[in-house]
Amino acid sequence: MTRRRTLAFRVALVTTVVAVVTVVVAGLVSFSLVRSAALGQARRSLGALATTVAVQRAQTGEVLRLHRQVRLLSAEKIRIAMITPAGAVVGDPLARDILTSGDVQGVLAGHDLSVTRRESGSTVLVEARPTGSSGVVLVQRQNDAAGLAAPVLRRTLLALLIGLVVAVIAGLLLARRLARPLQKAAGAAHDLAAGARDVRLVPEGPAEVAEVAESLNSLAAALERSEGRQREFLLSVSHELRTPLTAISGFAESLADGVTTGPDTAPVGATMLAEARRLERLVSDLLDLARLGADNFRIDLAPVELTALVRHAGAVWQARCRAERVRFRLEVPDHEVVTVTDPTRVRQIIDGLAENALRVTPPDAPIVLGLAVRGGAAYLALRDGGPGLTEDDLAVAFERSVLYDRYRGIRRVGTGVGLALVHGLATRLGGSAQAGRAPEGGASFVVRLPLRPAPAVEIGEFTVPQPPVPLDRAATARRSSDRGGEAGSIGGPG
C-alpha cells in the first residue's frame, strides 16, 4: 500500500518551496537592481572624477604630476589619458584605442564626452572633459565598475539566505502546529472506532481544525447517548421477553410433569397461547421497526377506501374496549374517502394507537377513533381518557423506548417500540404523526396521510377508475407473504 504523505510534510514542503522561489526571485531582482544602480553610480562618479581632474589640470598645467589623484584612480581601476592640443591621445593605451577622431575633435572643441564603447568583448565607460586647448580622458571597464557592487550583492545574498532559513524553520513549526491537533483528532477517531466513548478533545489551532475537534466531541457524545439508549432498550426488551417465556416455561413444565391435568389443562393452554402471542407481537414490532429503515421494506400501494377500513377496525376495537369496560366511539365521515396507500400498514397504525390507548385508559373512560379530511389529506385520530402526556412527553413521544423508560413501574407500558413504529409507518406512507392532548383528558395522536387519486385502468375503449382493494384480500395477501400472523396485529406502543 502506498504510504501517504503527512500534512506536516506537505505544509513544510510547500513553505520551503515558496521560500526558495521567493529567495531566488528576490535574488535575481536584487542582483539586477544593484548592478544597474552600481553602473549608474559608476558612470556618475566617473564623470565627476573626470570633471575634477580636468579642473586640476587647468590649475596645475600637468595632470600626470597629480600623483595622489592618479593613485586613487588606479585603485578604482580607472585609467587616465590626455588629449594634446595637436589631437594626440597619450597615456593609457585603452583610451587611445577606444577614442575616435570625432571624439577627440569634440573634446578639443570644448564639449564633454560621455559614451560607452565595446573593446575586446567588454563594455568600457568613457568620460572626457576639455581643459582649455587640451583634454583629459577617464576610462573604466564596466565589469570593474560593477565589481564595486559585489559587497552589496554579497550582503544582499546573505540576507536572503538568512530569510530562507527563517522561512523554512517557520514552515516546519507551522506544519507541526497544524498537524498536531489533526493527529490528536485522528487518534480520537481510532479510539472511537475501537469502542471508547469517553474521548474528548480540546479545540485548538485554526478555526477549521478546532471545528474538527468539536465535531468529534459531538460524535462521541452522540454515540455515548445512542449506545446508552440501545443498552436500556435491550434491557427492557429482555425483560419483556423474560416474562412471557417464564410463564410459558412454567406452565409447560406443569403439563410435562403431569401436575396440570383434567379441567385445568384448558386454562393453562389459554395462558400459554396468550403469552406466545404476546411474544409474537413483540418480535413482530421489533422486526417491523428494524425494517423501516431498509430499502426493501414492503409498501404495497393500492386504492383504499379509508372510511370502510376505519369502520372495520372500529368494530374490532369496540369489542375489545367493551371487554375492558372502556367506552368506545367512532367518528367517520358519511362519504367515501379513497386514496392510494397500503391498507395493511394503515391498519397497523390504527391498531398500534388503539392498543396503546386501551392499555392506559381506565374503565368508564372514553377512547375515540376518528377519520377526517382536510386540505387534500386524510387525518386518522385516536384520543383517549387516560393519564395523558406532559409537554416533555409530547416532544419525545415517538422516540423509541423513551416513554417506556420514563413510565415503567409507574403505569402500564408496552414494548417501547409501538409509537416509534407508528411514526415510521406514517413517514413511509408519505405522511406524518403528531402527539398532543385530547379534549377527553388523555393523549391524542393524529396521523396525516396524503390523499392520492386512484389510477385509471383501460378496458377496451373505456377508461374506468381502479376500484379499492377489499380489506379481506389485502389482509390475506399480507398474512401469506409477511410473517403468517394476524394482519395489522402489533404490540402496543410504548
PDB file of all heavy atoms in Angstrom, residues 2-25:
ATOM      1  N   THR A   2       0.565   2.198  -0.857  1.00  0.00           N
ATOM      2  CA  THR A   2       1.347   3.419  -0.959  1.00  0.00           C
ATOM      3  C   THR A   2       1.207   4.249   0.315  1.00  0.00           C
ATOM      4  O   THR A   2       0.110   4.501   0.790  1.00  0.00           O
ATOM      5  CB  THR A   2       0.872   4.246  -2.168  1.00  0.00           C
ATOM      6  OG1 THR A   2       0.952   3.440  -3.340  1.00  0.00           O
ATOM      7  CG2 THR A   2       1.748   5.473  -2.333  1.00  0.00           C
ATOM      8  N   ARG A   3       2.371   4.641   0.827  1.00  0.00           N
ATOM      9  CA  ARG A   3       2.354   5.434   2.060  1.00  0.00           C
ATOM     10  C   ARG A   3       2.016   6.884   1.731  1.00  0.00           C
ATOM     11  O   ARG A   3       2.639   7.497   0.860  1.00  0.00           O
ATOM     12  CB  ARG A   3       3.716   5.362   2.739  1.00  0.00           C
ATOM     13  CG  ARG A   3       3.757   6.087   4.077  1.00  0.00           C
ATOM     14  CD  ARG A   3       5.114   5.941   4.722  1.00  0.00           C
ATOM     15  NE  ARG A   3       5.163   6.637   5.999  1.00  0.00           N
ATOM     16  CZ  ARG A   3       6.244   6.720   6.771  1.00  0.00           C
ATOM     17  NH1 ARG A   3       7.363   6.133   6.362  1.00  0.00           N
ATOM     18  NH2 ARG A   3       6.211   7.364   7.906  1.00  0.00           N
ATOM     19  N   ARG A   4       1.042   7.417   2.420  1.00  0.00           N
ATOM     20  CA  ARG A   4       0.607   8.779   2.168  1.00  0.00           C
ATOM     21  C   ARG A   4       1.498   9.767   2.912  1.00  0.00           C
ATOM     22  O   ARG A   4       1.952   9.508   4.011  1.00  0.00           O
ATOM     23  CB  ARG A   4      -0.849   8.970   2.610  1.00  0.00           C
ATOM     24  CG  ARG A   4      -1.842   8.123   1.814  1.00  0.00           C
ATOM     25  CD  ARG A   4      -3.244   8.387   2.290  1.00  0.00           C
ATOM     26  NE  ARG A   4      -4.227   7.613   1.528  1.00  0.00           N
ATOM     27  CZ  ARG A   4      -5.523   7.638   1.756  1.00  0.00           C
ATOM     28  NH1 ARG A   4      -5.999   8.383   2.730  1.00  0.00           N
ATOM     29  NH2 ARG A   4      -6.342   6.907   1.018  1.00  0.00           N
ATOM     30  N   ARG A   5       1.726  10.890   2.249  1.00  0.00           N
ATOM     31  CA  ARG A   5       2.487  11.960   2.887  1.00  0.00           C
ATOM     32  C   ARG A   5       1.647  12.622   3.967  1.00  0.00           C
ATOM     33  O   ARG A   5       0.452  12.818   3.808  1.00  0.00           O
ATOM     34  CB  ARG A   5       2.893  13.005   1.841  1.00  0.00           C
ATOM     35  CG  ARG A   5       3.753  12.440   0.713  1.00  0.00           C
ATOM     36  CD  ARG A   5       5.112  12.027   1.204  1.00  0.00           C
ATOM     37  NE  ARG A   5       5.969  11.617   0.097  1.00  0.00           N
ATOM     38  CZ  ARG A   5       7.205  11.168   0.243  1.00  0.00           C
ATOM     39  NH1 ARG A   5       7.711  11.046   1.457  1.00  0.00           N
ATOM     40  NH2 ARG A   5       7.922  10.823  -0.803  1.00  0.00           N
ATOM     41  N   THR A   6       2.308  12.985   5.054  1.00  0.00           N
ATOM     42  CA  THR A   6       1.600  13.627   6.153  1.00  0.00           C
ATOM     43  C   THR A   6       1.336  15.091   5.821  1.00  0.00           C
ATOM     44  O   THR A   6       1.989  15.689   4.952  1.00  0.00           O
ATOM     45  CB  THR A   6       2.407  13.529   7.455  1.00  0.00           C
ATOM     46  OG1 THR A   6       3.651  14.230   7.279  1.00  0.00           O
ATOM     47  CG2 THR A   6       2.704  12.060   7.783  1.00  0.00           C
ATOM     48  N   LEU A   7       0.370  15.657   6.544  1.00  0.00           N
ATOM     49  CA  LEU A   7       0.066  17.073   6.364  1.00  0.00           C
ATOM     50  C   LEU A   7       1.257  17.932   6.761  1.00  0.00           C
ATOM     51  O   LEU A   7       1.569  18.934   6.101  1.00  0.00           O
ATOM     52  CB  LEU A   7      -1.170  17.446   7.196  1.00  0.00           C
ATOM     53  CG  LEU A   7      -1.565  18.924   7.178  1.00  0.00           C
ATOM     54  CD1 LEU A   7      -1.953  19.358   5.779  1.00  0.00           C
ATOM     55  CD2 LEU A   7      -2.716  19.186   8.151  1.00  0.00           C
ATOM     56  N   ALA A   8       1.950  17.557   7.846  1.00  0.00           N
ATOM     57  CA  ALA A   8       3.116  18.330   8.280  1.00  0.00           C
ATOM     58  C   ALA A   8       4.183  18.349   7.195  1.00  0.00           C
ATOM     59  O   ALA A   8       4.788  19.390   6.915  1.00  0.00           O
ATOM     60  CB  ALA A   8       3.674  17.734   9.577  1.00  0.00           C
ATOM     61  N   PHE A   9       4.414  17.194   6.567  1.00  0.00           N
ATOM     62  CA  PHE A   9       5.418  17.133   5.497  1.00  0.00           C
ATOM     63  C   PHE A   9       5.002  18.025   4.331  1.00  0.00           C
ATOM     64  O   PHE A   9       5.825  18.765   3.768  1.00  0.00           O
ATOM     65  CB  PHE A   9       5.587  15.688   5.032  1.00  0.00           C
ATOM     66  CG  PHE A   9       6.476  15.535   3.834  1.00  0.00           C
ATOM     67  CD1 PHE A   9       7.852  15.531   3.976  1.00  0.00           C
ATOM     68  CD2 PHE A   9       5.926  15.411   2.565  1.00  0.00           C
ATOM     69  CE1 PHE A   9       8.672  15.402   2.859  1.00  0.00           C
ATOM     70  CE2 PHE A   9       6.744  15.277   1.449  1.00  0.00           C
ATOM     71  CZ  PHE A   9       8.121  15.275   1.600  1.00  0.00           C
ATOM     72  N   ARG A  10       3.724  17.969   3.955  1.00  0.00           N
ATOM     73  CA  ARG A  10       3.282  18.755   2.814  1.00  0.00           C
ATOM     74  C   ARG A  10       3.332  20.251   3.104  1.00  0.00           C
ATOM     75  O   ARG A  10       3.737  21.039   2.243  1.00  0.00           O
ATOM     76  CB  ARG A  10       1.866  18.340   2.420  1.00  0.00           C
ATOM     77  CG  ARG A  10       1.792  16.903   1.910  1.00  0.00           C
ATOM     78  CD  ARG A  10       0.423  16.562   1.378  1.00  0.00           C
ATOM     79  NE  ARG A  10       0.375  15.182   0.879  1.00  0.00           N
ATOM     80  CZ  ARG A  10      -0.652  14.654   0.246  1.00  0.00           C
ATOM     81  NH1 ARG A  10      -1.736  15.383   0.037  1.00  0.00           N
ATOM     82  NH2 ARG A  10      -0.618  13.410  -0.185  1.00  0.00           N
ATOM     83  N   VAL A  11       2.920  20.639   4.299  1.00  0.00           N
ATOM     84  CA  VAL A  11       2.987  22.064   4.649  1.00  0.00           C
ATOM     85  C   VAL A  11       4.427  22.534   4.674  1.00  0.00           C
ATOM     86  O   VAL A  11       4.763  23.607   4.149  1.00  0.00           O
ATOM     87  CB  VAL A  11       2.294  22.308   6.001  1.00  0.00           C
ATOM     88  CG1 VAL A  11       2.524  23.742   6.458  1.00  0.00           C
ATOM     89  CG2 VAL A  11       0.801  22.035   5.896  1.00  0.00           C
ATOM     90  N   ALA A  12       5.317  21.727   5.284  1.00  0.00           N
ATOM     91  CA  ALA A  12       6.735  22.094   5.326  1.00  0.00           C
ATOM     92  C   ALA A  12       7.317  22.172   3.922  1.00  0.00           C
ATOM     93  O   ALA A  12       8.092  23.083   3.596  1.00  0.00           O
ATOM     94  CB  ALA A  12       7.505  21.087   6.171  1.00  0.00           C
ATOM     95  N   LEU A  13       6.941  21.213   3.067  1.00  0.00           N
ATOM     96  CA  LEU A  13       7.444  21.223   1.694  1.00  0.00           C
ATOM     97  C   LEU A  13       6.962  22.455   0.938  1.00  0.00           C
ATOM     98  O   LEU A  13       7.743  23.119   0.235  1.00  0.00           O
ATOM     99  CB  LEU A  13       6.997  19.950   0.981  1.00  0.00           C
ATOM    100  CG  LEU A  13       7.428  19.805  -0.488  1.00  0.00           C
ATOM    101  CD1 LEU A  13       8.944  19.770  -0.590  1.00  0.00           C
ATOM    102  CD2 LEU A  13       6.825  18.553  -1.099  1.00  0.00           C
ATOM    103  N   VAL A  14       5.675  22.772   1.086  1.00  0.00           N
ATOM    104  CA  VAL A  14       5.129  23.932   0.381  1.00  0.00           C
ATOM    105  C   VAL A  14       5.788  25.226   0.853  1.00  0.00           C
ATOM    106  O   VAL A  14       6.189  26.073   0.043  1.00  0.00           O
ATOM    107  CB  VAL A  14       3.597  23.998   0.566  1.00  0.00           C
ATOM    108  CG1 VAL A  14       3.047  25.323   0.057  1.00  0.00           C
ATOM    109  CG2 VAL A  14       2.924  22.845  -0.174  1.00  0.00           C
ATOM    110  N   THR A  15       5.905  25.388   2.171  1.00  0.00           N
ATOM    111  CA  THR A  15       6.531  26.612   2.692  1.00  0.00           C
ATOM    112  C   THR A  15       7.993  26.709   2.271  1.00  0.00           C
ATOM    113  O   THR A  15       8.488  27.793   1.957  1.00  0.00           O
ATOM    114  CB  THR A  15       6.419  26.650   4.214  1.00  0.00           C
ATOM    115  OG1 THR A  15       6.963  25.435   4.767  1.00  0.00           O
ATOM    116  CG2 THR A  15       4.970  26.779   4.654  1.00  0.00           C
ATOM    117  N   THR A  16       8.694  25.566   2.238  1.00  0.00           N
ATOM    118  CA  THR A  16      10.100  25.588   1.816  1.00  0.00           C
ATOM    119  C   THR A  16      10.217  25.963   0.347  1.00  0.00           C
ATOM    120  O   THR A  16      11.066  26.784  -0.037  1.00  0.00           O
ATOM    121  CB  THR A  16      10.743  24.217   2.065  1.00  0.00           C
ATOM    122  OG1 THR A  16      10.656  23.898   3.453  1.00  0.00           O
ATOM    123  CG2 THR A  16      12.194  24.225   1.644  1.00  0.00           C
ATOM    124  N   VAL A  17       9.372  25.355  -0.502  1.00  0.00           N
ATOM    125  CA  VAL A  17       9.406  25.684  -1.925  1.00  0.00           C
ATOM    126  C   VAL A  17       9.082  27.154  -2.148  1.00  0.00           C
ATOM    127  O   VAL A  17       9.735  27.843  -2.947  1.00  0.00           O
ATOM    128  CB  VAL A  17       8.433  24.770  -2.702  1.00  0.00           C
ATOM    129  CG1 VAL A  17       8.278  25.242  -4.131  1.00  0.00           C
ATOM    130  CG2 VAL A  17       8.918  23.332  -2.677  1.00  0.00           C
ATOM    131  N   VAL A  18       8.058  27.640  -1.436  1.00  0.00           N
ATOM    132  CA  VAL A  18       7.696  29.053  -1.574  1.00  0.00           C
ATOM    133  C   VAL A  18       8.849  29.946  -1.139  1.00  0.00           C
ATOM    134  O   VAL A  18       9.171  30.951  -1.796  1.00  0.00           O
ATOM    135  CB  VAL A  18       6.423  29.351  -0.757  1.00  0.00           C
ATOM    136  CG1 VAL A  18       6.167  30.857  -0.705  1.00  0.00           C
ATOM    137  CG2 VAL A  18       5.216  28.654  -1.369  1.00  0.00           C
ATOM    138  N   ALA A  19       9.506  29.582  -0.024  1.00  0.00           N
ATOM    139  CA  ALA A  19      10.637  30.381   0.450  1.00  0.00           C
ATOM    140  C   ALA A  19      11.788  30.357  -0.541  1.00  0.00           C
ATOM    141  O   ALA A  19      12.407  31.396  -0.831  1.00  0.00           O
ATOM    142  CB  ALA A  19      11.093  29.860   1.811  1.00  0.00           C
ATOM    143  N   VAL A  20      12.097  29.180  -1.110  1.00  0.00           N
ATOM    144  CA  VAL A  20      13.190  29.083  -2.084  1.00  0.00           C
ATOM    145  C   VAL A  20      12.872  29.913  -3.325  1.00  0.00           C
ATOM    146  O   VAL A  20      13.725  30.660  -3.827  1.00  0.00           O
ATOM    147  CB  VAL A  20      13.437  27.607  -2.448  1.00  0.00           C
ATOM    148  CG1 VAL A  20      14.387  27.507  -3.626  1.00  0.00           C
ATOM    149  CG2 VAL A  20      13.997  26.855  -1.254  1.00  0.00           C
ATOM    150  N   VAL A  21      11.648  29.763  -3.838  1.00  0.00           N
ATOM    151  CA  VAL A  21      11.269  30.541  -5.015  1.00  0.00           C
ATOM    152  C   VAL A  21      11.334  32.035  -4.726  1.00  0.00           C
ATOM    153  O   VAL A  21      11.827  32.830  -5.544  1.00  0.00           O
ATOM    154  CB  VAL A  21       9.860  30.135  -5.484  1.00  0.00           C
ATOM    155  CG1 VAL A  21       9.360  31.068  -6.577  1.00  0.00           C
ATOM    156  CG2 VAL A  21       9.857  28.702  -5.979  1.00  0.00           C
ATOM    157  N   THR A  22      10.876  32.419  -3.546  1.00  0.00           N
ATOM    158  CA  THR A  22      10.912  33.833  -3.166  1.00  0.00           C
ATOM    159  C   THR A  22      12.341  34.347  -3.102  1.00  0.00           C
ATOM    160  O   THR A  22      12.652  35.444  -3.595  1.00  0.00           O
ATOM    161  CB  THR A  22      10.213  34.029  -1.817  1.00  0.00           C
ATOM    162  OG1 THR A  22       8.871  33.559  -1.903  1.00  0.00           O
ATOM    163  CG2 THR A  22      10.206  35.494  -1.420  1.00  0.00           C
ATOM    164  N   VAL A  23      13.240  33.550  -2.510  1.00  0.00           N
ATOM    165  CA  VAL A  23      14.644  33.961  -2.393  1.00  0.00           C
ATOM    166  C   VAL A  23      15.295  34.065  -3.767  1.00  0.00           C
ATOM    167  O   VAL A  23      16.042  35.012  -4.060  1.00  0.00           O
ATOM    168  CB  VAL A  23      15.405  32.967  -1.488  1.00  0.00           C
ATOM    169  CG1 VAL A  23      16.910  33.182  -1.598  1.00  0.00           C
ATOM    170  CG2 VAL A  23      14.974  33.138  -0.045  1.00  0.00           C
ATOM    171  N   VAL A  24      15.013  33.069  -4.643  1.00  0.00           N
ATOM    172  CA  VAL A  24      15.604  33.103  -5.984  1.00  0.00           C
ATOM    173  C   VAL A  24      15.117  34.319  -6.757  1.00  0.00           C
ATOM    174  O   VAL A  24      15.912  35.058  -7.380  1.00  0.00           O
ATOM    175  CB  VAL A  24      15.273  31.800  -6.736  1.00  0.00           C
ATOM    176  CG1 VAL A  24      15.681  31.909  -8.198  1.00  0.00           C
ATOM    177  CG2 VAL A  24      15.973  30.623  -6.088  1.00  0.00           C
ATOM    178  N   VAL A  25      13.803  34.556  -6.735  1.00  0.00           N
ATOM    179  CA  VAL A  25      13.261  35.712  -7.450  1.00  0.00           C
ATOM    180  C   VAL A  25      13.800  37.013  -6.859  1.00  0.00           C
ATOM    181  O   VAL A  25      14.215  37.930  -7.593  1.00  0.00           O
ATOM    182  CB  VAL A  25      11.720  35.682  -7.412  1.00  0.00           C
ATOM    183  CG1 VAL A  25      11.148  36.969  -8.000  1.00  0.00           C
ATOM    184  CG2 VAL A  25      11.194  34.478  -8.176  1.00  0.00           C
TER     185      VAL A  25
END
